[in-house]
Amino acid sequence: MNTQQFIPNSQGLEKSIEKITFSWKTPSNIALVKYWGKSNPQIPKNASISFTLNNCHTHTSIEFSKREKSTKANFELYFEGKKKDDFKPKIAKFFERIEEFCPYILEYGMVIRSENSFPHSSGIASSASGMSAIAMCLMSLEKELTPELSEAFVRRKASFLARLGSGSASRSIEGPIVVWGEHPEIENSSNLYGVQCEGKIHPFFENYQDTILLVDKGEKQVSSTIGHNLMHEHPFAEQRFIQANQNLSKIYKYLKNGDINAFIELVESEALTLHAMMLTSHPYFILMKPNTLEIINAIWQYREETDSKVCFTLDAGANVHVLYPEVEKAQILQFVENKLSNFCQKKQYICDHVGLGATKL
Ligand code: PMV
């Protein structure tokens, strides 16, 4: 695997900048074919594909100040205006991992200020948007130090760096649909970074809607790091990895030919399969809550009673992502408000839709 391409040529980094700040807004994403299982360093066991979101995002600025070169990254971290030392170990580990690819970070003090658009501890993973935002700020510095870098390389390397912080973060740089993981039928796909889905997507999927139902806002009982690791000894792992790659071939086709019924069946099956992996690992665990199942059943019933194309997917948690075409927005929001929100904590949900990826502020 060619990681060499991401090690900067030291001659190119001779430019000196005393102080500079960059700010980026990067979104969360929701996988349609799930990534669950990896090997070191953050190499996925199968390819995955996601919709990039828009309204659920992280807004991060990093102020870089030149300092004596040190042996480890120096940074302060503010989250929603307050110093947040308990997030520091994760970020410190991330900086250690990427040091080889961003040696210049050792020559700067960094003040990181970050905030999420979605409520704190809503059960929505902020690692994808958070890590991709830091990666974009670092790449803005690298571009400033090495102006000849192309925009395409900057984004590709940002996805590569974000992946080393959180696998799914590699899919949060671009939009509206991103594939991460090597796949024989997807040109330029890579285990190292996410790539935009090429070719024309069927108009049906344009501006696709995602209403996120906040079923459980608490800390997850089992982190995704532990969950991924449990796939190592999992009795169904190999079959699952094969299936996911096959599902990716299928969904790629549906996204282009607009076969919405096949899309729905595949997306829901992927969500349940992800959770089936959790139910059948050792130790086994359950992240869904009773209300997750209530919502799924209500969606199935609604689909049976109407000609709606609404469907659901799940992340590694109890919240439900309700996916539907834009033409159904008014009816589905009414259905959510009248029925589904009753299964949410404090009736809370977030209205989002597919977006285009990282934006410089
Ligand atoms: O990026 P991680 O390590 O938090 O893993 C994310 C895994 C899922 O969200 C469950 C699936 C996915 O592909 O996003």
Side-chain angles (χ1 to χ4, degrees):
M1 237 172 303
N2 181 12
T3 53
Q4 206 61 29
Q5 58 177 310
F6 297 119
I7 299 180
N9 169 357
S10 58
Q11 282 170 2
L13 292 172
E14 276 162 9
K15 194 172 161 188
S16 182
I17 294 166
E18 282 311 307
K19 205 179 186 84
I20 197 161
T21 302
F22 298 102
S23 302
W24 280 87
K25 184 175 100 174
T26 61
S28 184
N29 68 76
I30 181 68
L32 304 169
V33 171
K34 311 289 181 180
Y35 144 65
W36 197 242
K38 62 178 170 183
S39 52
N40 266 337
Q42 303 272 86
I43 299 300
K45 290 285 194 181
N46 62 261
S48 56
I49 188 167
S50 51
F51 278 145
T52 303
L53 295 180
N54 190 73
N55 302 340
C56 290
H57 59 252
T58 299
H59 183 156
T60 294
S61 74
I62 306 187
E63 181 187 299
F64 296 94
S65 310
K66 190 88 176 166
R67 50 166 287 150
E68 279 286 286
K69 188 170 179 172
S70 68
T71 51
K72 63 178 180 33
N74 279 282
F75 67 99
E76 280 171 41
L77 183 65
Y78 294 86
F79 182 69
E80 283 163 7
K82 295 197 190 86
K83 224 174 178 169
K84 200 77 182 154
D85 286 339
D86 44 333
F87 286 1
K88 275 187 97 174
K90 192 166 179 190
I91 311 283
K93 199 166 146 204
F94 170 59
F95 285 141
E96 246 168 66
R97 271 197 191 154
I98 63 165
E99 218 176 87
E100 185 191 353
F101 306 104
C102 307
Y104 47 84
I105 57 175
L106 301 180
E107 295 175 27
Y108 286 88
M110 295 176 274
V111 179
I112 307 173
R113 292 190 173 84
S114 200
E115 46 197 62
N116 290 339
S117 65
F118 42 91
H120 182 46
S121 83
S122 56
I124 298 181
S126 56
S127 58
S129 52
M131 288 297 178
S132 53
I134 295 178
M136 284 307 313
C137 291
L138 296 179
M139 285 312 296
S140 286
L141 175 64
E142 187 169 323
K143 168 91 178 154
E144 200 63 36
L145 295 168
T146 332
E148 62 271 21
L149 296 182
S150 72
E151 262 330 302
F153 176 83
V154 165
R155 289 201 164 230
R156 173 176 293 184
K157 182 167 171 184
S159 170
F160 167 82
L161 296 175
R163 182 198 106 244
L164 291 168
S166 163
S168 56
S170 65
R171 299 188 311 240
S172 274
I173 302 289
E174 305 277 8
I177 300 177
V178 177
V179 172
W180 166 46
E182 240 168 74
H183 191 284
E185 287 163 34
I186 295 169
E187 229 184 307
N188 303 322
S189 59
S190 170
N191 285 338
L192 299 180
Y193 45 81
V195 294
Q196 227 168 355
C197 171
E198 279 181 359
K200 192 146 174 49
I201 299 298
H202 195 277
F204 198 83
F205 295 106
E206 266 165 30
N207 204 23
Y208 222 62
Q209 305 288 306
D210 180 6
T211 299
I212 308 162
L213 306 178
L214 304 180
V215 173
D216 185 49
K217 305 197 288 158
E219 273 283 291
K220 278 189 281 192
Q221 290 152 314
V222 179
S223 70
S224 63
T225 308
I226 294 173
H228 284 293
N229 281 338
L230 289 173
M231 289 303 278
H232 289 308
E233 302 294 320
H234 199 291
F236 307 141
E238 286 315 312
Q239 193 50 44
R240 162 61 195 156
F241 302 143
I242 294 169
Q243 178 201 45
N245 283 329
Q246 289 170 343
N247 279 348
L248 207 144
S249 303
K250 289 182 189 165
I251 205 161
Y252 217 66
K253 199 169 70 197
Y254 306 150
L255 286 166
K256 290 177 180 192
N257 70 13
D259 188 343
I260 181 69
N261 293 327
F263 171 88
I264 289 173
E265 196 182 314
L266 192 146
V267 167
E268 293 190 342
S269 167
E270 269 293 316
L272 295 179
T273 303
L274 168 70
H275 284 258
M277 290 300 110
M278 302 173 191
L279 299 176
T280 49
S281 59
H282 293 282
Y284 43 78
F285 59 104
I286 305 178
L287 295 184
M288 292 182 288
K289 297 282 178 198
N291 280 347
T292 311
L293 301 183
E294 293 286 0
I295 291 166
I296 291 174
N297 279 310
I299 290 173
W300 285 344
Q301 194 184 345
Y302 183 83
R303 230 177 26 229
E304 231 175 81
E305 290 167 358
T306 64
D307 58 0
S308 171
K309 300 301 178 193
V310 64
C311 72
F312 73 86
T313 189
L314 305 168
D315 229 328
N319 296 337
V320 182
H321 289 249
V322 184
L323 301 176
Y324 50 97
E326 195 182 16
V327 285
E328 287 194 40
K329 191 169 171 182
Q331 297 93 298
I332 298 296
L333 286 180
Q334 204 161 40
F335 170 50
V336 167
E337 186 54 36
N338 295 344
K339 173 101 183 176
L340 301 183
S341 68
N342 294 314
F343 302 117
C344 299
Q345 271 191 6
K346 298 192 188 142
K347 297 190 98 180
Q348 281 181 316
Y349 56 89
I350 299 171
C351 295
D352 209 341
H353 57 88
V354 167
L356 293 177
T359 324
K360 196 168 187 183
L361 299 169

